[in-house]
C-alpha cells in the first residue's frame, strides 16, 4: 500500500466505498489522516465500520465541519448529469474534491518511479496489460493498477527504477487534482459515458486533461479520429517533435515519430526512416485491427521507456491476452468460441466484427446512446445474430436489416442455438455492443456466463 502524504493530523472524507474508495481510506489512515467514510449503500458502510472507520452521512448539515478534502470514487457523478448531494455540500463548505489518482501522484515524492498513464475509449485495458507484460518480460519491475486490477493506492510503494502502468478512465482523469505522468497514451475516442460528461465534447475534454494538465515528457496519440489528430497537434512544437508519437492502423506521412499497423504489419518510423517492423497477424493474443492498434500504442510507450524492438517483439508473441477481450476460450468441431464481453459499445463491437469471418454473433444488453447503425458495414462477416437482453426485441429492431436475427433473450439459449447452427470454420463471438447491467452486475459476469454456457455444451 502507498501511504498518502500531506494529510497527517487532518480530517478527510471518502465518498463511495467500493474498491478504490476503501483503498483510499486505508491509504489515508496509513498516512496519518482521520477518515470519515460514506456510501449510499448499506453494504459499503458496513464494510467501512468493520475496518474501524467512522461512518458519517456527508450530506447531513455540518457533516463536513473540519474536513479539509473529500475523496470521491469514480462511479459517483461530480458534475453531470447532476452532482451528488455530498459534493454540492463540499462546494458550499469550501472542501476540496479529489480522487485516488490525485492522491497517488501527490504521494510519490521526489524519488518517484516512471509512470505511464493510458486512457481512451477502447483498448486501454489491453494496451495497459500488454505494456505491463512487455516490461515484465524485459526484466523490469512494473506495477499495473488504476481502472484495471488493483486500486492505484493498493500497490506496494514502487522503487525509483520501477515503472507504474495506470489505466485511467475519463471519470478518473476528469477529477484528479494532481497529474504528473511521465508518458501518456491516448488510444482512440468513440461516444461513451455521454450522460456523465454532458456530451462528446465533455468526454473528450476529460481525456485531454491528462495531457494538457499532466504535462507528460512523451505522449503516444492514436490519430485515427479527429480528436486524436487535434490532440497531437496541440502537443507538438514542430513537425519533428519526438515528444509526440503518433499511432495509426493506417498509413501516416510526415517526418515525426510514428508507429503504424497497416494490414497487420507494425512499422516504426523516425525522421522519415523505418527503424523496425513486426508481422502481427500470426500473434494469437492480439487478433484483429483493434488489437493491432493496441500493440502499436504499447510498442510506442515501451520504446519511449527505452526498450529495444527485439525484446518488445518477443514479448508481443508471448502475450496471453486479457479475459473478456477477444478471448479465445474453446474450439469444438472446428468452431471457435470467442469471449469479447468487454465490447460494451458500438465501436468496440465493430472492431470485433472486423477481426473474424463467418461469425455467429451473440449481442444485446443495455443499449447506449447513438444507436447501432455504425455496425451495419460489418454485417458481411456475420452469418447470424443471436440477441440477448431484457430488451432484446428493441435491440434487434435497432440492428435493422442486413443480417439474420434470432431473439434468444438469455445467454444459455444464444450459445446453444449458435453452437447448433455453426459449421466448421465459424466463430461464435460474444461482442454485445451494449452494457451488461440489464442482466449482469458487470461485463465480467456476462463473460463468465458465456464461458460457462460454452463449457456446458454437449
Amino acid at each position: 500500500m502507498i501511504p498518502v502524504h500531506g494529510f497527517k493530523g487532518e480530517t478527510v472524507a471518502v465518498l463511495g466505498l467500493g474498491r478504490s474508495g476503501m483503498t483510499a481510506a486505508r491509504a489515508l489512515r496509513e498516512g496519518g489522516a482521520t477518515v470519515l467514510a460514506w456510501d449510499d449503500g448499506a453494504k459499503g458502510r458496513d464494510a467501512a465500520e468493520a475496518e474501524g472507520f467512522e461512518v458519517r452521512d456527508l450530506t447531513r448539515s455540518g457533516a463536513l465541519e473540519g474536513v479539509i478534502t473529500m475523496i470521491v470514487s469514480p462511479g459517483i457523478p461530480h458534475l453531470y448529469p447532476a452532482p451528488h448531494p455530498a459534493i454540492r455540500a463540499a462546494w458550499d463548505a469550501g472542501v476540496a474534491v479529489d480522487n485516488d489518482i490525485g492522491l497517488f501522484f501527490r504521494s510519490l515524492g521526489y524519488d518517484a518511479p516512471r509512470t505511464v498513464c493510458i486512457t481512451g475509449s477502447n483498448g486501454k485495458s489491453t494496451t495497459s496489460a500488454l505494456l505491463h507484460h512487455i516490461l515484465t518480460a524485459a526484466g523490469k519491475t512494473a506495477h499495473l493498477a488504476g481502472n484495471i486490477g488493483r486500486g492505484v493506492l493498493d500497490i506496494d510503494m514502487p522503487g525509483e527504477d520501477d515503472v507504474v502502468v495506470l489505466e485511467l478512465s475519463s471519470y478518473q482523469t476528469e477529477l484528479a487534482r494532481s497529474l504528473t505522468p511521465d508518458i501518456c497514451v491516448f488510444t482512440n475516442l468513440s461516444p461513451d459515458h455521454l450522460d456523465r460528461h454532458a456530451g462528446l465534447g465533455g468526454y473528450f475534454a476529460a481525456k485531454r486533461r491528462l495531457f494538457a494538465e499532466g504535462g507528460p515528457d512523451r505522449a503516444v496519440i492514436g490519430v485515427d479520429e479527429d480528436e486524436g489528430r487535434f490532440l497531437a497537434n496541440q502537443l507538438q512544437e514542430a513537425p519533428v517533435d519526438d515528444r509526440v508519437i503518433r499511432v495509426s492502423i493506417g498509413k501516416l506521412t510526415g517526418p515525426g515519430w510514428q508507429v503504424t499497423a497497416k494490414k497487420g504489419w507494425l512499422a516504426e518510423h523516425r525522421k522519415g526512416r523505418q527503424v523496425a517492423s513486426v508481422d502481427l497477424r500470426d500473434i494469437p493474443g492480439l487478433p484483429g485491427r483493434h488489437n493491432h492498434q493496441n500493440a502499436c500504442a504499447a510498442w510506442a510507450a515501451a520504446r519511449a521507456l527505452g526498450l529495444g524492438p527485439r525484446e518488445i517483439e518477443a514479448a508481443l508473441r508471448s502475450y496471453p491476452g486479457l479475459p473478456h477481450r477477444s478471448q479465445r476460450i474453446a474450439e469444438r468441431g472446428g468452431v471457435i468460441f470467442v469471449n469479447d464481453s468487454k465490447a460494451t459499445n458500438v465501436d468496440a463491437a465493430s472492431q470485433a466484427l472486423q477481426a473474424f469471418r463467418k461469425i455467429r454473433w451473440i449481442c444485446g444488453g443495455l443499449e447506449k446512446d447513438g444507436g447501432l447503425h455504425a455496425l451495419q458495414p460489418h454485417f458481411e462477416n456475420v452469418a447470424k445474430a443471436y440477441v440477448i437482453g431484457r430488451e432484446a426485441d428493441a435491440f434487434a429492431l435497432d440492428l435493422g436489416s442486413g443480417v439474420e436475427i434470432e431473439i434468444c433473450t438469455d445467454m444459455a439459449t444464444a450459445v446453444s442455438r449458435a453452437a447448433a447452427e455453426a459449421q466448421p470454420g465459424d466463430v461464435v463471438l460474444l461482442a454485445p455492443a451494449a452494457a451488461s447491467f440489464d442482466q449482469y452486475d458487470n461485463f465480467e459476469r456476462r463473460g463468465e456466463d458465456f464461458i460457462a454456457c460454452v463449457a456446458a455444451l454437449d
Side-chain angles (χ1 to χ4, degrees), residues 116-128 147-148 166-174 183-194 197 200 202-211 220-225 227-228 231 247 290 293-294 297 325 342 344-345 347-348 351 368:
V116 183
C117 292
I118 298 170
T119 194
S121 295
N122 299 305
K124 56 185 182 291
S125 292
T126 295
T127 302
S128 300
N147 199 48
I148 182 174
L166 298 181
E167 179 197 332
L168 299 182
S169 71
S170 57
Y171 298 174
Q172 294 168 310
T173 59
E174 185 176 46
I183 298 170
C184 289
V185 179
F186 176 85
T187 59
N188 50 56
L189 193 86
S190 61
D192 207 358
H193 308 303
L194 300 188
H197 299 290
L200 186 62
Y203 177 50
F204 175 55
K207 303 285 190 184
R208 177 184 174 275
R209 187 172 179 270
L210 178 63
F211 299 81
V220 177
I221 310 291
V223 294
D224 289 330
E225 296 88 28
E227 291 84 359
L231 182 57
V247 166
H290 58 310
Q293 183 187 53
N294 299 334
R325 297 160 178 87
K342 186 60 173 65
T344 59
N345 58 39
D347 187 67
Q351 296 295 338
K368 296 185 177 181

Side-chain angles (χ1 to χ4, degrees), residues 23-99:
T23 300
R26 297 181 192 115
L28 283 160
R29 182 165 62 184
E30 187 74 15
T34 298
V35 177
L36 303 179
W38 180 253
D39 193 288
D40 291 337
K43 182 178 179 180
R45 299 195 298 268
D46 291 344
E49 284 186 331
E51 293 195 27
F53 292 105
E54 179 182 346
V55 173
R56 180 185 297 182
D57 184 351
L58 300 176
T59 66
R60 196 181 66 224
S61 177
L64 296 177
E65 184 176 348
V67 172
I68 188 172
T69 296
M70 177 183 290
I71 305 303
V72 180
S73 294
I76 297 175
H78 51 264
L79 186 56
Y80 302 114
H84 189 280
I87 293 177
R88 288 190 183 276
W91 295 347
D92 293 341
V95 173
V97 177
D98 202 351
N99 64 11

